[in-house]
């Protein structure tokens, strides 16, 4: 775990430099967003929620910038939605399910419609935004699995 943590701490500054140097390259922005998110996931696994929240928030900032710059790039928009979903799942994050729902609806309207594996997340976000969720943990593990299959 300490080697993985050191890896992220060492490589995130490089990803930040690459993202700044390549503002018109979606994958450079995605690597930064995902780097923050993966580091935060690691921190959550080692029970360091305050540090994880900080990294998730940094990832969200990067995802928001990328989403604004590439409004029709599905994978960029999805990275934004995934970080919002992750943060909304943490009570102290300050991200609401209404925010998650708004991002998914924007993706559905502006990009190309949701890909089939994202439709259940839209439906679940609607339930959670209305306070009627029935499948909280099941959706988080499904989100993790489906994120692995999204290509740049």
């Amino acid at each position: 775990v300490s080697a993985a943590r050191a890896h992220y701490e060492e490589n995130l500054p490089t990803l930040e430099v690459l993202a700044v140097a390549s503002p018109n390259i979606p994958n450079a922005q995605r690597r930064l967003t995902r780097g923050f998110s993966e580091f935060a996931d690691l921190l959550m696994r080692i029970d360091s929620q305050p540090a994880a929240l900080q990294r998730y928030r940094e990832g969200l900032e990067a995802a928001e910038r990328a989403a604004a710059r590439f409004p029709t790039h599905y994978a960029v928009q999805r990275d934004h939605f995934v970080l919002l979903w992750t943060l909304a799942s943490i009570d102290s994050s300050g991200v609401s399910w209404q925010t998650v729902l708004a991002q998914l609806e924007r993706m559905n309207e502006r990009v190309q419609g949701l890909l089939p594996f994202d439709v259940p997340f839209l439906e679940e976000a609607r339930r959670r935004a209305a306070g009627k969720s029935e499948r909280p943990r099941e959706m988080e593990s499904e989100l993790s699995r489906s994120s692995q299959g999204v290509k740049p």
Side-chain angles (χ1 to χ4, degrees):
V1 172
S2 62
R5 185 176 187 153
H7 168 79
Y8 284 110
E9 289 172 345
E10 181 180 313
N11 287 303
L12 274 173
T14 302
L15 293 175
E16 289 176 297
V17 168
L18 290 171
V20 169
S22 307
N24 296 319
I25 300 175
N27 286 338
Q29 310 312 310
R30 292 191 70 220
R31 279 192 284 279
L32 177 61
T33 298
R34 293 178 71 95
F36 279 121
S37 183
E38 290 167 5
F39 188 22
D41 291 345
L42 171 71
L43 293 169
M44 286 294 278
R45 283 193 296 276
I46 62 171
D47 203 26
S48 183
Q49 185 171 335
L53 278 172
Q54 177 61 32
R55 293 303 184 176
Y56 281 133
R57 287 184 180 118
E58 290 170 327
L60 181 59
E61 290 172 10
E64 288 170 342
R65 287 190 304 270
R69 187 165 197 86
F70 304 103
T72 60
H73 193 286
Y74 196 88
V76 168
Q77 295 300 319
R78 190 171 198 282
D79 289 345
H80 186 204
F81 134 64
V82 168
L83 268 163
L84 287 169
W85 185 287
T86 300
L87 282 163
S89 299
I90 301 170
D91 290 333
S92 61
S93 75
V95 174
S96 71
W97 287 106
Q98 289 79 8
T99 303
V100 176
L101 177 59
Q103 172 63 11
L104 281 162
E105 288 176 339
R106 272 192 301 276
M107 288 172 65
N108 196 33
E109 293 167 9
R110 292 188 198 160
V111 181
Q112 62 197 36
L114 293 176
L115 293 176
F117 56 80
D118 283 336
V119 171
F121 294 104
L122 174 61
E123 295 164 358
E124 181 63 15
R126 285 182 177 138
R127 283 190 290 273
R128 290 184 187 199
K132 299 177 181 179
S133 176
E134 300 168 5
R135 315 171 350 171
R137 292 291 161 221
E138 175 186 327
M139 293 303 291
E140 274 69 25
S141 61
E142 181 61 31
L143 182 63
S144 177
R145 282 192 301 279
S146 69
S147 291
Q148 296 169 3
V150 176
K151 302 290 184 235

